[in-house]
Amino acid sequence: MSEKSLSHTKWMKRAIFLASLGKNTTSPNPRVGAVILDKNGSLISEGFHFKAGMPHAEAMAFNNLKNDAKGGTMYVNLEPCCHQGKTPPCVDKVISSGLKKVYISMEDPDERVSGKGIKLLKEAGIQVNLGLCKKESLDLNKAFIHRNTTKKAFGVLKWAMSIDGRIALKNGKSKWITNDESRSLVHSFRAEFDAIIIGGNTLRRDNPFLTTRGSKNPEPLRVVFTKSLDLPSKSNLWDCSKAKTLVIYDSSTANESYLSRIPKCVEVEKVLSDNPELISKILAKRGCNKVLWECGPNLATAAIQSNCIQEIITFIAPKILGGENSMHPFGDFEFEEMHEVIKLSNSQVSLIGNDICVKSLCKN
Amino acid sequence: MSEKSLSHTKWMKRAIFLASLGKNTTSPNPRVGAVILDKNGSLISEGFHFKAGMPHAEAMAFNNLKNDAKGGTMYVNLEPCCHQGKTPPCVDKVISSGLKKVYISMEDPDERVSGKGIKLLKEAGIQVNLGLCKKESLDLNKAFIHRNTTKKAFGVLKWAMSIDGRIALKNGKSKWITNDESRSLVHSFRAEFDAIIIGGNTLRRDNPFLTTRGSKNPEPLRVVFTKSLDLPSKSNLWDCSKAKTLVIYDSSTANESYLSRIPKCVEVEKVLSDNPELISKILAKRGCNKVLWECGPNLATAAIQSNCIQEIITFIAPKILGGENSMHPFGDFEFEEMHEVIKLSNSQVSLIGNDICVKSLCKN
């Protein structure tokens, strides 16, 4: 690699680093960082997108300019937008600034942009280089890209089990399988998500809070999917002062008279079947890039079957629960042969005290 | 620690290292290493025990002497024996050699020795120091010590499962959950064991070879425990040219007419109940220090309940099998509360390709 292209890579990596500062806060927007050099190649500004409604990375970089950008170069990890959203189109600013070159890692998968921003830049005589550090940029915004290309939220399924694969005793007791450290890690990593999904059984059995315990503000949306609507009239999820809650119910099976048990502060949506894809689509439409499924075996099985799960996080505690009818992470996939089973990949293993945490990709 | 005591530790660690050379071959004997210094503190000999019937470590060290041992010092990780076994008592040789001091890590738990060797040395005017590097020596011979103190073999339970805790599909198919590398690791680590135990179901379902595939000669004893004696007349375990096989059956439930299906080269023993402790005791009596339980859920559960399992090795493959009735590592322990469950400790995690291997201690 030449010294010149090494230098381009260096600046794009800086833009990607800046983008990563918006880690858990940009949804429904992507993570974007921008770097501006003057015509002599000196750094004169940088910016990143922090939160929807706040300036885009390019806009922040133009706001922060120390010198004239005319004849200069911009590095940005995502194609600049060309539509009026909550903030004005960035392409206009790039063109009016007099920049000569723009390095862009990847096209914006958002169909309102998707190549149109690049086209406008080129038409204005700006040299556009597309594809630098594309792999890193794809990874940085994988949830945003997934939502835009599939119209479903990027799903991560999490469960905690004993080393013999049980998520509860046969009487349903499960407090606690994993150690304090693992459970507190779960609270804090919920901050990476825009929504946390459980099923009616988990609500009835565990009555969870599903919050980050203050790591994220506002807290992720708490979502309950229920087939029956037979939910308790008292529940930690009904306290909307901590976090918002959304109940999604299957109107083909639910008893709508139970709706009266749910307080007014909780949003309610109905779907026409129990296909988890419908939940994922509703959440994607609401701008949730990345959602965490913390559900029991039935919903987890259906979520995998309907391609709602892209990653898996398993906490394994060094305990043996046993039990013929103890609860397991999944129900039946109806596999008849070993070659049919679901294969995970790219597993990363870490130790959380005496628990083991395994993260894997799930390509169904 | 003074320079002098550092030096003693150094020589005892050398003795322990020498002992470890007999890793998989000394059963029913312990692993023992011995170092001899002359009266000036120079190394003049060393030895270790390789195999039952061959010289003990002390005897080998005396056989290897380069100079006169008179006034010298011996370091040995286990109390020298004082009984006539397959080889003469070591204590006599130590006394007649004129050694002045003997450093011993720990007493021999074998009741034929157990302090008597040390007593004889002291009575002969030899200075005996007991306890140097005791922790390391206990660990080195933990299986031998366990057998001598409990009259049961030290048991390791191994199973392979998917990341959702299943050891087979609901139709019983399980070839293969783990990867080639894990399975070949299992073959080679069988060499650490004196016997490999399965139940009748595993024999009928998997028809395994249970050998090290040549890593150990002779191969570990293959043991089948059966309640019914309803074993097939053709089985890989009936080929005694590869390894010896022992069938243990519960005479309270077995149909002894099935004995005719078992070829003459296979040994048969009967027990009066299905308590796995009886298997462990039979194997201990036959000199098996360390045995590997590769059995299915029923026998595994009973083996844990009867304290036959001291360590656990779990292979976890990044696959999801699911299935309401898929096979699990264990049956029912009848736990009603989470505080009752079996807690493992000292887990060590390693990656075998994309599989995860967890080794833990099991103190029931």
Side-chain angles (χ1 to χ4, degrees), chain B residues 293-345:
Chain B
W293 298 73
E294 294 200 44
C295 48
N298 296 335
L299 187 49
T301 306
I304 286 200
Q305 284 173 321
S306 57
N307 289 319
C308 292
I309 305 300
Q310 282 61 54
E311 284 183 10
I312 274 174
I313 300 178
T314 318
F315 286 85
I316 304 172
K319 292 176 182 169
I320 295 174
L321 267 60
E324 292 301 339
N325 303 310
S326 290
M327 283 180 67
H328 314 110
F330 297 101
D332 210 335
F333 291 96
E334 306 289 349
F335 296 135
E336 295 288 334
E337 300 291 339
M338 282 301 297
H339 67 81
E340 297 168 9
V341 308
I342 297 159
K343 283 141 204 105
L344 309 178
S345 61

Side-chain angles (χ1 to χ4, degrees), chain B residues 213-254:
Chain B
R213 307 295 193 268
S215 299
K216 190 178 194 174
N217 186 5
E219 289 278 355
L221 178 68
R222 304 177 294 189
V223 181
V224 188
F225 175 66
T226 170
K227 292 186 203 180
S228 64
L229 262 175
D230 185 8
L231 302 176
S233 52
K234 286 196 176 180
S235 154
N236 289 321
L237 295 196
W238 300 164
D239 176 1
C240 305
S241 66
K242 288 199 171 65
K244 285 186 183 172
T245 301
L246 167 66
V247 171
I248 302 178
Y249 70 94
D250 175 359
S251 63
S252 73
T253 48

Side-chain angles (χ1 to χ4, degrees), chain A residues 4-254:
Chain A
K4 209 165 175 182
S5 65
L6 266 178
S7 157
H8 294 313
T9 303
K10 180 188 84 176
W11 290 118
M12 187 59 88
K13 289 203 168 166
R14 174 74 191 165
I16 291 171
F17 165 75
L18 292 165
S20 74
L21 299 176
K23 194 180 176 201
N24 298 334
T25 47
T26 63
S27 283
N29 291 345
R31 298 164 183 163
V32 187
V35 169
I36 303 178
L37 309 187
D38 68 12
K39 61 182 175 187
N40 302 316
S42 299
L43 180 67
I44 52 170
S45 192
E46 44 188 33
F48 70 98
H49 182 52
F50 179 63
K51 205 170 178 173
M54 289 175 71
H56 285 188
E58 302 91 321
M60 189 203 262
F62 284 120
N63 291 343
N64 292 345
L65 267 180
K66 288 190 220 157
N67 284 310
D68 189 2
K70 203 166 181 177
T73 305
M74 173 179 274
Y75 297 85
V76 60
N77 60 298
L78 195 73
E79 178 180 11
C81 69
C82 54
H83 62 288
Q84 177 73 40
K86 290 186 181 176
T87 58
C90 293
V91 160
D92 296 356
K93 289 196 182 173
V94 176
I95 294 170
S96 64
S97 70
L99 283 172
K100 193 176 161 194
K101 288 188 192 172
V102 180
Y103 283 83
I104 299 168
S105 278
M106 56 174 289
E107 284 189 5
D108 188 340
D110 185 328
E111 56 197 15
R112 292 169 299 178
V113 187
S114 202
K116 297 188 200 88
I118 291 173
K119 191 163 170 270
L120 289 170
L121 294 177
K122 284 183 175 170
E123 284 169 2
I126 294 171
Q127 293 174 35
V128 176
N129 178 304
L130 182 66
L132 189 59
C133 302
K134 186 172 178 182
K135 195 171 165 290
E136 293 88 334
S137 295
L138 284 168
D139 191 55
L140 181 73
N141 279 312
K142 63 182 171 186
F144 169 81
I145 296 164
H146 180 87
R147 177 170 69 82
N148 274 282
T149 51
T150 66
K151 307 301 173 204
K152 294 199 285 185
F154 184 96
V156 178
L157 174 66
K158 182 231 105 181
W159 74 88
M161 67 179 204
S162 60
I163 202 164
D164 62 326
R166 314 301 174 113
I167 62 170
L169 291 175
K170 61 182 173 179
N171 59 18
K173 290 185 184 174
S174 65
K175 287 183 179 171
W176 293 106
I177 290 177
T178 50
N179 63 32
D180 293 353
E181 219 174 327
S182 293
R183 299 203 307 281
S184 127
L185 188 70
V186 169
H187 298 157
S188 62
F189 88 48
R190 281 183 187 143
E192 288 178 33
F193 296 89
D194 302 313
I196 319 286
I197 304 160
I198 59 168
N201 282 331
T202 302
L203 172 59
R204 284 183 288 267
R205 201 179 54 237
D206 296 348
N207 189 21
F209 287 99
L210 299 183
T211 65
T212 67
R213 307 296 194 266
S215 299
K216 190 177 194 173
N217 185 5
E219 289 278 355
L221 179 68
R222 303 177 295 188
V223 181
V224 188
F225 175 66
T226 170
K227 292 186 203 180
S228 64
L229 261 176
D230 185 7
L231 303 176
S233 53
K234 286 195 177 182
S235 153
N236 290 320
L237 294 196
W238 300 163
D239 176 1
C240 305
S241 66
K242 289 199 171 65
K244 286 187 183 173
T245 301
L246 167 66
V247 171
I248 301 178
Y249 70 94
D250 174 1
S251 62
S252 74
T253 48

Side-chain angles (χ1 to χ4, degrees), chain A residues 157 159 161-166 168-171 173-177 298 304 312 314 316 318-326 328-338 341-345 347 349 351 354 356 358 360 362, chain B residues 157 159 161-166 168-171 173-177 298 304 312 314 316 318-326 328-338 341-345 347 349 351 354 356 358 360 362:
Chain A
L157 174 66
W159 74 88
M161 67 179 204
S162 60
I163 202 164
D164 62 326
R166 314 301 174 113
L169 291 175
K170 61 182 173 179
N171 59 18
K173 290 185 184 174
S174 65
K175 287 183 179 171
W176 293 106
I177 290 177
N298 296 336
I304 286 200
I312 274 174
T314 317
I316 304 171
K319 292 176 183 170
I320 295 175
L321 267 59
E324 293 299 340
N325 303 309
S326 291
H328 315 110
F330 297 100
D332 210 334
F333 291 96
E334 307 288 348
F335 296 135
E336 295 288 334
E337 299 291 339
M338 282 301 296
V341 307
I342 297 159
K343 284 142 204 104
L344 309 178
S345 61
S347 297
V349 180
L351 295 179
N354 52 3
I356 301 161
V358 186
S360 309
C362 178
Chain B
L157 174 66
W159 74 88
M161 67 180 204
S162 60
I163 202 164
D164 62 327
R166 314 302 175 112
L169 291 175
K170 60 182 173 179
N171 59 18
K173 290 186 184 174
S174 65
K175 288 184 180 172
W176 294 105
I177 290 177
N298 296 335
I304 286 200
I312 274 174
T314 318
I316 304 172
K319 292 176 182 169
I320 295 174
L321 267 60
E324 292 301 339
N325 303 310
S326 290
H328 314 110
F330 297 101
D332 210 335
F333 291 96
E334 306 289 349
F335 296 135
E336 295 288 334
E337 300 291 339
M338 282 301 297
V341 308
I342 297 159
K343 283 141 204 105
L344 309 178
S345 61
S347 296
V349 180
L351 295 179
N354 52 3
I356 301 161
V358 186
S360 310
C362 177

